[in-house]
Amino acid sequence: MFDLEEYQRWVKEAKNTLESAKSDVENKFFNWACFKCQQSAEFSIKGFLYGKGLTPFGHSLTKLIKMVENLGIDISSIVGFCKKLDHFYIPARYPNSYPSGAPFEYYDAQIAIEAVEYAQSVLNFVESLKNEQISKDNEERAE
């Protein structure tokens, strides 16, 4: 059975973090928006995996979404977004990720808006997986 309560704890945080990222875009904190988009996607995927009774570890969206794939789920529509969002985990925050300057100098509105779209896509994907899982659980109960 899918652990809906645990899933919802993680996805609630994912949604809140994504809203915070949108606020950062509006306020021109583009690097922080990008980092928060990575975090939102991480929380979304981890929520689904915890819901399935797994114990995800780490912060790489690419690795986490592969755990979803290992459940027999097609991730082809989302894996590219995960790979792009992975690039925001460290460089968006640490000056030594770049040869000079501060991280915020390497981000702009276009990059941040795309990050929001990627994170929203990951969240939508995970929500659809949850809905499929709940339907499957309900069918099994009815049998």
Side-chain angles (χ1 to χ4, degrees):
M1 283 303 201
F2 191 74
D3 186 344
L4 185 59
E5 186 175 339
E6 187 63 15
Y7 167 84
Q8 288 173 330
R9 282 175 9 110
W10 284 86
V11 170
K12 186 176 182 180
E13 188 63 24
K15 290 177 179 179
N16 186 66
T17 302
L18 185 56
E19 287 304 309
S20 179
K22 291 175 184 177
S23 177
D24 283 346
V25 171
E26 290 174 16
N27 290 298
K28 300 183 180 180
F29 296 115
F30 303 126
N31 61 317
W32 287 108
C34 290
F35 170 67
K36 289 176 183 177
C37 287
Q38 184 280 337
Q39 290 287 276
S40 174
E42 180 181 333
F43 299 151
S44 298
I45 297 167
K46 283 184 173 179
F48 179 75
L49 292 168
Y50 278 119
K52 291 291 286 180
L54 300 172
T55 306
F57 180 78
H59 306 286
S60 168
L61 303 178
T62 304
K63 299 291 184 194
L64 292 169
I65 203 67
K66 291 287 185 186
M67 289 181 72
V68 173
E69 183 179 47
N70 291 339
L71 297 171
I73 296 169
D74 179 14
I75 62 165
S76 61
S77 67
I78 210 75
V79 69
F81 297 143
C82 291
K83 288 179 178 183
K84 289 177 181 180
L85 288 168
D86 267 340
H87 292 281
F88 302 133
Y89 182 66
I90 292 174
R93 300 175 292 148
Y94 291 93
N96 62 352
S97 295
Y98 299 96
S100 65
F104 75 89
E105 297 172 313
Y106 291 83
Y107 295 82
D108 61 24
Q110 181 180 349
I111 294 168
I113 290 167
E114 288 174 358
V116 167
E117 291 169 1
Y118 301 154
Q120 185 66 60
S121 294
V122 172
L123 178 60
N124 292 346
F125 178 79
V126 167
E127 291 272 54
S128 71
L129 293 181
K130 181 263 303 179
N131 292 338
E132 290 173 19
Q133 187 63 53
I134 297 298
S135 292
K136 197 180 294 183
D137 287 353
N138 288 339
E139 288 173 12
E140 288 175 7
R141 271 194 225 118
E143 292 177 357

